[in-house]
Amino acid sequence: MSLVLASASPRRRELLARIGVEPAETDPADIDETPRSGELPRDYAMRMAAEKAAAVAPRHPGSPVLAADTVVAAGRRILAKTEDEGEARDCLALLSGRRHRVLSAVTLIDATGQARHRLSTTIVTFKRLTDAEIAAYLARGEWRGKAGGYAIQGFAEAWVRFLAGSHSGVIGLPLYETRTLLESAGYPLG
């Protein structure tokens, strides 16, 4: 079976390689990722993964399509992928010294068109960040395009006081849930 990854994320490809999966192709979904009014972070993550998979699957009939979405949530608030330094600064200031959730949803549409879904919830607590630490992190540029304004696989990992759940889910693809989905669809794993 030739798996299609509905993502342009190099991190997701790297994570898949950790479980012996090499997608035959990447085909990013081009969908509207705007949260709906009042939409909760969990529902948003699940909807985004499902919609990405559904958008890509018709372009690859007979091939399994894997899609994922990762959301950083502070309470009921969805922290978007940061596009500018001000957004990143605001996110990091909000997360400083507090606990937040990272929801990573995965959808697999198998070769028959059946959709399967999984969700990973990880609790992360950052140390209290100083203005100087935030400024230094922003200067590194790791925040660009990252949900919540940080990349746990980079320098921000040194701020994590507590983590309960999937480290790979915080990076962008929860490997346990992904492997379970692939196995349930009969995808050959190493």
Side-chain angles (χ1 to χ4, degrees):
M1 284 189 265
S2 56
L3 180 72
V4 176
L5 178 61
S7 174
S9 168
R11 290 168 306 285
R12 288 195 176 117
R13 286 188 71 91
E14 292 165 8
L15 289 166
L16 283 171
R18 291 184 190 178
I19 59 172
V21 174
E22 180 66 34
E25 189 175 345
T26 58
D27 184 2
D30 184 19
I31 63 169
D32 179 7
E33 296 190 37
T34 306
R36 294 177 178 154
S37 177
E39 189 170 30
L40 295 175
R42 177 189 190 283
D43 298 335
Y44 173 72
M46 294 292 288
R47 180 174 66 85
M48 285 294 95
E51 287 184 8
K52 288 175 183 179
V56 171
R59 300 194 293 249
H60 304 277
S63 293
V65 173
L66 182 73
D69 195 72
T70 301
V71 173
V72 174
R76 298 169 58 104
R77 183 174 171 189
I78 297 168
L79 301 183
K81 292 177 185 171
T82 52
E83 300 304 325
D84 66 53
E85 196 171 293
E87 288 176 354
R89 184 183 321 282
D90 291 346
C91 284
L92 294 173
L94 177 66
L95 299 176
S96 174
R98 79 182 275 188
R99 182 175 127 158
H100 61 278
R101 290 173 298 137
V102 180
L103 304 140
S104 196
V106 184
T107 294
L108 177 70
I109 297 180
D110 68 20
T112 68
Q114 179 184 355
R116 294 172 168 85
H117 313 277
R118 293 285 184 276
L119 177 72
S120 164
T121 301
T122 304
I123 305 299
V124 180
T125 304
F126 277 174
K127 71 181 230 43
R128 186 160 306 280
L129 304 173
T130 66
D131 290 341
E133 287 171 320
I134 291 173
Y137 187 74
L138 294 172
R140 290 176 173 274
E142 288 181 355
W143 56 267
R144 283 185 176 80
K146 302 295 189 301
Y150 74 93
I152 198 167
Q153 70 275 21
F155 191 79
E157 188 168 14
W159 297 339
V160 177
R161 284 188 24 231
F162 176 82
L163 185 142
S166 172
H167 185 269
S168 63
V170 179
I171 296 171
L173 188 69
L175 293 180
Y176 174 80
E177 289 78 2
T178 301
R179 184 177 178 93
T180 299
L181 282 177
L182 291 168
E183 285 176 334
S184 73
Y187 188 84
L189 297 169

